[in-house]
Amino acid sequence: MATAVETEADVVLPTSETEAIEAFGDGSSVTVLAGGTIVVPDITYGYTKPRRVLMLAGAGLSGVETEGSRITIGAMTSVADLVDLSAPLGPCAANVADLEIRAQATVGGNICAPPGRDAPRGDLQAALLALDAQVRSAGAGGERTESLEAFLAARDGRLLLDVSYEEPASGAFARLDRPHTHDYSALTVCVARAAGGTIRIAAAGVAGPAVRLPSAEAKADDPEAAGQAADADATFADDALASAWYRERTLPVLVRRALTQLQEAA
Amino acid sequence: MRLTVNGVEREIASSPLTPLLQVLREELGITSPKAGCQQGGCGSCTVLVGGAPRRACLLPVAALDGADITTLEGLGTPEALSPIQTAFHEHYAAQCGFCTSGMVLAAHAFLENGGGTERESIQEALAGHICRCTGYVKILDAVEAAAGGEVTSNQRWLPQTGEEAPVEVPGAPA
């Protein structure tokens, strides 16, 4: 059993976005602590021995703002605060873990989570990829805004500030149900139809961060064919929740179900 | 740092990254929150922070300065159980007891926040709480009874011998 932590880490508690950016600097040897649902157990179990901890609890950075059709979500917004948003993000957030964890886990933590030891992490990434979200972050070279795909490819050394997207015309979410005692979904698929009609599809629970499924998108009008095409765009990993073998056979089913839902919603 | 625990203001000396669970158990001697999985998955460490259920094992104490914490010790007394505690007693909803304090606090918050009487809503509210005795049915029955107003507070569970020593509960308000 893990015992009480004796740690001599420096803890910095910024009280504003500006202070948080300043304290983060270029991010070297800084451990960012947002909701704590990943970092705190890692410290308890000795997987992480942080030297300098940037605790964002008092830094603001939270809240969902709507301006016209644009929705902006602060990095410290809890997953619970997203559950009433439209599909795919709302239902995807409602599927994360349980009531207590959703109230504590943050959007920023979900996007920045390193791959889990026993289970995939970052369900919301799939919804936000499908929504073509833009990420605003700080770090070496200053502040920048880029697509979530670009951010996921190079997120080390960046402090995520907020994420924004255009309200979609419609969206859908399908998941591989989790067994009762696990908080993580083995595989999730999110689709969104933009106001212009473009359909984007993404999956979380594959190897590494969530990925877009362009081969499936190319056949989005035919759910069955799109499902069959989806496996070409993802690689799969074995973990405690499911085998790669099982995920590979399940992804086409989830893509088909999500696209069928989308058609029914239209 | 300061925390208000069960209505009593406490000065906290633990280091800033110490999880609330260890602060409660080891610094303050309040042992109803259990150290189960200590990674947020089992629910046995659940306490109320500002009235909302939270995992004490996941909360670094520095993020909580000034917060109002309620543990099981602050809910009822051995002489006057809260309605949800009474319901757990009447419905035999505790077996080994390890998950019970987390279950009771989550159910208490559910009732306080007007969670309703639907079985499905109760299941959702307790979804993060694992009972390895698998006493789920009796636990859900208890919460449903309390939600439906079938139990009242102030029911004694101790035999009234008149001579028995008062039960001391560490961490309970004096």
Side-chain angles (χ1 to χ4, degrees), chain A residues 223 226-228 230-231 247-257:
Chain A
Q228 283 168 17
D231 276 344
R247 288 188 163 98
E248 189 176 347
R249 278 149 188 83
T250 308
L251 182 65
V253 178
L254 295 185
V255 168
R256 189 190 72 218
R257 285 183 188 164

Side-chain angles (χ1 to χ4, degrees), chain A residues 16-114:
Chain A
S16 68
E17 178 182 304
T18 314
E19 278 182 30
I21 292 170
E22 199 173 304
F24 182 76
D26 64 2
S28 58
S29 63
V30 174
T31 301
V32 178
L33 202 161
T37 58
I38 292 169
V39 175
V40 174
D42 274 3
I43 295 172
T44 302
Y45 281 84
Y47 296 132
T48 306
K49 290 190 168 53
R51 283 194 284 155
R52 191 150 181 271
V53 174
L54 181 60
M55 198 182 279
L56 294 177
L61 293 173
S62 68
V64 180
E65 281 178 32
T66 307
E67 207 179 320
S69 58
R70 190 90 191 153
I71 294 165
T72 304
I73 303 167
M76 285 294 289
T77 308
S78 73
V79 176
D81 284 342
L82 306 182
V83 299
D84 292 328
L85 295 173
S86 60
L89 188 54
C92 184
N95 181 61
V96 171
D98 54 60
L99 181 118
E100 290 92 346
I101 300 294
R102 284 195 294 276
Q104 194 177 335
T106 65
V107 176
N110 200 282
I111 294 175
C112 296

Side-chain angles (χ1 to χ4, degrees), chain A residues 71-234:
Chain A
I71 294 165
T72 304
I73 303 167
M76 285 294 289
T77 308
S78 73
V79 176
D81 284 342
L82 306 182
V83 299
D84 292 328
L85 295 173
S86 60
L89 188 54
C92 184
N95 181 61
V96 171
D98 54 60
L99 181 118
E100 290 92 346
I101 300 294
R102 284 195 294 276
Q104 194 177 335
T106 65
V107 176
N110 200 282
I111 294 175
C112 296
R117 228 166 271 99
D118 309 313
R121 287 172 177 160
D123 303 30
L124 302 183
Q125 294 168 11
L128 292 164
L129 278 179
L131 291 164
D132 198 11
Q134 297 285 302
V135 171
R136 188 168 66 91
S137 69
E143 194 179 306
R144 69 171 185 244
T145 300
E146 62 199 325
S147 70
L148 176 58
E149 280 151 299
F151 181 81
L152 289 176
R155 59 189 173 176
D156 285 352
R158 304 302 299 172
L159 177 68
L160 192 149
L161 301 172
D162 60 40
V163 56
S164 63
Y165 62 90
E166 290 291 321
E167 177 70 17
S170 56
F173 160 76
R175 66 172 191 259
L176 177 55
D177 276 331
R178 58 180 187 262
H180 167 74
T181 55
H182 288 291
D183 290 345
Y184 295 98
S185 297
L187 195 62
T188 56
V189 169
C190 290
V191 301
R193 188 200 309 273
T198 313
I199 293 176
R200 287 170 61 104
I201 310 174
V206 297
V211 293
R212 254 182 91 187
L213 305 172
S215 306
E217 288 171 4
K219 297 181 174 178
D221 291 338
D222 180 349
E224 186 69 44
Q228 283 168 17
D231 276 344
D233 298 326

